Amino acid sequence: MKRAFFNTLGFLFLSLTSFSQENKINLNLSADIYSLHLWRGFANGNAPSIQPCIEFSTGRLTLGGWAAYAINGSYSEIDIYAGFNMKNLKFSVFDYFMPETNGKKNSFFDFKNKTTKHTIDVIVEYDAENFPLRILASNFVYGDDRHALTSKNMYSTYLEFAYKMNISGKKTEFIAALTPHESYYSNKINLVMTGIKIKDEIKITSDIKIPVKAFLMLNPYTENIYFNLGICL
């Protein structure tokens, strides 16, 4: 698996270089700060999260790295991802690396299926052009997605549906998500996330505006509710 990982990275780099011969490479650096790191119905960590990102894009291809660090050390994550855009469809592959935070050594280069802290996620997202609907389908295909009793991969599946609106000039999404079988998200088919996402801007001066995001999220399965606020730099 380690060889496959580096072969894939090499292939993506060569693809990016090949695309760049006909298209300009764009580099984007960003850093977001959230009151809490929320993801697919769960809170990761118990403190504000700093989330830096670096992304290269050319034509329809993107390649990037993203991370999340709770300021009290309760959670850390580093992801490498690649995406391909095709009109209203986006295909992505993410390598989530989430080491434990108790001081135990977790080698980044450990890709053994029974011990690795990597999780490979394949995602397809459809964002309708003439209808306010966004659909995301995700499936874990390898890695740290193991059943607690059998240690076998669960191939966790996550399906998310979002209805998009513009309310008072603010981009708003009403979201519902489910898992269709026992998985990382639930012990059976369940609705695992409902919520409202709102994007807005804080005007500092006539030329400076800071994007802000608010997210009210309820997990019907765990019966937990969270409210999150973030700024994007």
Side-chain angles (χ1 to χ4, degrees):
M1 186 62 188
K2 185 189 296 186
R3 180 178 296 178
F5 175 80
F6 286 108
N7 287 342
T8 301
L9 280 183
F11 171 76
L12 292 172
F13 178 78
L14 291 175
S15 298
L16 190 69
T17 305
S18 177
F19 272 99
S20 69
Q21 294 178 359
E22 298 180 0
N23 301 279
K24 180 182 177 181
I25 292 182
N26 298 305
L27 172 61
N28 182 54
L29 298 172
S30 64
D32 300 341
I33 302 173
Y34 286 92
S35 55
L36 198 62
H37 176 29
L38 301 182
W39 187 76
R40 297 184 181 179
F42 296 93
N44 295 321
N46 53 25
S49 176
I50 300 173
Q51 301 178 5
C53 180
I54 180 172
E55 182 177 278
F56 298 90
S57 63
T58 179
R60 297 180 177 181
L61 183 67
T62 59
L63 181 63
W66 175 93
Y69 299 100
I71 61 173
N72 66 350
S74 60
Y75 184 80
S76 65
E77 175 182 348
I78 299 176
D79 303 342
I80 297 173
Y81 64 89
F84 185 80
N85 296 309
M86 191 172 64
K87 205 171 182 179
N88 297 330
L89 280 175
K90 182 177 182 180
F91 301 89
S92 304
V93 177
F94 276 75
D95 173 14
Y96 306 132
F97 179 63
M98 293 170 281
E100 297 177 7
T101 56
N102 59 4
K104 181 179 179 181
K105 181 180 179 181
N106 291 279
S107 174
F108 180 81
F109 298 107
D110 177 7
F111 288 95
K112 296 178 181 178
N113 197 38
K114 293 184 178 181
T115 57
T116 184
K117 288 299 179 181
H118 291 266
T119 304
I120 306 301
D121 190 10
V122 177
I123 301 172
V124 179
E125 186 172 10
Y126 174 73
D127 199 344
E129 184 175 356
N130 299 317
F131 189 76
L133 179 67
R134 180 180 60 80
I135 302 173
L136 181 146
S138 156
N139 186 254
F140 294 165
V141 297
Y142 186 86
D144 192 18
D145 177 40
R146 297 178 288 270
H147 194 281
L149 298 178
T150 66
S151 296
K152 293 182 179 180
N153 283 96
M154 294 188 290
Y155 301 102
S156 298
T157 302
Y158 174 87
L159 303 173
E160 180 178 293
F161 305 87
Y163 185 78
K164 302 179 294 182
M165 295 182 65
N166 193 306
I167 302 177
S168 299
K170 300 173 180 60
K171 293 182 179 180
T172 305
E173 286 190 343
F174 295 88
I175 305 170
L178 61 90
T179 184
H181 57 83
E182 181 181 13
S183 66
Y184 163 84
Y185 309 99
S186 170
N187 61 0
K188 59 181 180 179
I189 180 172
N190 251 318
L191 187 67
V192 295
M193 197 268 281
T194 61
I196 303 173
K197 281 185 178 181
I198 301 173
K199 294 181 180 180
D200 198 5
E201 292 181 334
I202 297 177
K203 185 176 180 180
I204 306 300
T205 68
S206 57
D207 298 321
I208 301 175
K209 297 178 181 179
I210 298 179
V212 295
K213 298 178 183 178
F215 187 19
L216 178 63
M217 182 185 78
L218 168 67
N219 186 327
Y221 167 62
T222 62
E223 300 185 9
N224 289 327
I225 188 168
Y226 306 94
F227 180 74
N228 196 22
L229 188 66
I231 60 173
C232 309
L233 305 177

